[in-house]
Amino acid sequence: MRALIASLLAVVAIVATAGNATAGERNHLSITTVGDSITAGGSAHPGHSYPDHLQRRLGGAATVSNAGVGGRCIVARGCGDGVRMVDTFADVLADEPDVVVLNGGRNDFCHVETRVLTNTLARLRWQGAKLGVRVVLSTATPANARWPWPCEEQRIEVNEWIRTQPDYVDLEAALIGKHTGELRRRFDSGDGLHPNSRGYARMAAAVYRHLH
């Protein structure tokens, strides 16, 4: 009888241990950041992109994969390496991340209509939802006055639409000057478009708060 009880207790212990391991795996988030050079960490030193900063904030609670590619467009043709985010998004989802943070549009503005961009963003989020992947949209970051106003105006239009969506992080708000409407100097890498390490850290903090 004692041998039977001991055997049963051993089985219970094994099941409990397995259950805890499974719970631990569930609690470990897999996050993929998709975007252009602003996601890739353009103009920043290695290890200082916003996904790098986000990984340091999350520590062992998550794995952050940086799928940002400089010059890449969401849907416009002829950008950078010629590959569009809309064409590679299925591959991102095939890796089964828990969360995808999507940022882009900088290379699309002035090349496609606002409606095309917003419809594409809605479709990408729907593709993720079908597979149980949370797709977090994010507002396009600001530039300084050297950038053409029509393109900035379209960025504002797209961001206004993003803010009507149920799951988004406001990266514009993290970097914009309250009185200038431009990328704040303290966050500018010097080219008027890409953030510096401090700016990328600010973006990571915004994403971190949103995910928590």
Side-chain angles (χ1 to χ4, degrees):
M1 184 67 173
R2 288 181 180 177
L4 177 60
I5 292 173
S7 298
L8 289 173
L9 289 174
V11 171
V12 169
I14 291 169
V15 171
T17 301
N20 289 336
T22 303
E25 291 170 3
R26 284 197 300 267
N27 290 334
H28 185 90
L29 274 180
S30 170
I31 302 170
T32 300
T33 59
V34 175
D36 49 34
S37 59
I38 292 175
T39 295
S43 298
H45 293 298
H48 288 268
S49 67
Y50 99 74
D52 290 322
H53 285 289
L54 180 61
Q55 180 67 79
R56 284 190 285 273
R57 277 183 169 269
L58 291 167
T63 298
V64 181
S65 300
N66 188 345
V69 179
R72 188 155 285 186
C73 286
I74 294 174
V75 66
R77 297 186 182 278
C79 298
D81 60 2
V83 179
R84 305 178 302 168
M85 295 182 211
V86 70
D87 298 324
T88 60
F89 204 67
D91 296 330
V92 171
L93 297 178
D95 289 335
E96 300 182 343
D98 299 301
V99 181
V100 172
V101 182
L102 176 58
N103 181 260
R106 264 285 161 205
N107 299 307
D108 295 86
F109 300 144
C110 289
H111 298 291
V112 295
E113 294 180 2
T114 296
R115 176 181 52 81
V116 173
L117 269 173
T118 56
N119 286 350
T120 302
L121 290 171
R123 178 155 55 95
L124 295 180
R125 193 179 59 191
W126 175 76
Q127 287 178 3
K130 279 203 310 179
L131 298 174
V133 177
R134 178 185 176 187
V135 177
V136 179
L137 303 180
S138 58
T139 53
T141 55
N144 68 15
R146 286 181 293 179
W147 290 85
W149 170 246
C151 303
E152 282 298 283
E153 191 172 33
Q154 187 177 24
R155 180 187 66 79
I156 292 168
E157 290 174 358
V158 172
N159 283 354
E160 287 175 351
W161 176 84
I162 289 173
R163 292 188 183 102
T164 67
Q165 303 307 297
D167 196 1
Y168 75 93
V169 57
D170 200 341
L171 297 182
E172 180 199 77
L175 300 178
I176 199 166
K178 188 179 296 184
H179 302 296
T180 65
E182 300 173 6
L183 177 63
R184 293 176 66 181
R185 286 186 182 179
R186 65 182 300 198
F187 301 137
D188 189 346
S189 67
D191 65 5
L193 175 64
H194 296 93
N196 54 23
S197 179
R198 182 183 293 181
Y200 285 129
R202 181 104 167 166
M203 291 170 63
V207 175
Y208 178 85
R209 287 193 300 270
H210 182 73
L211 293 179
H212 279 68

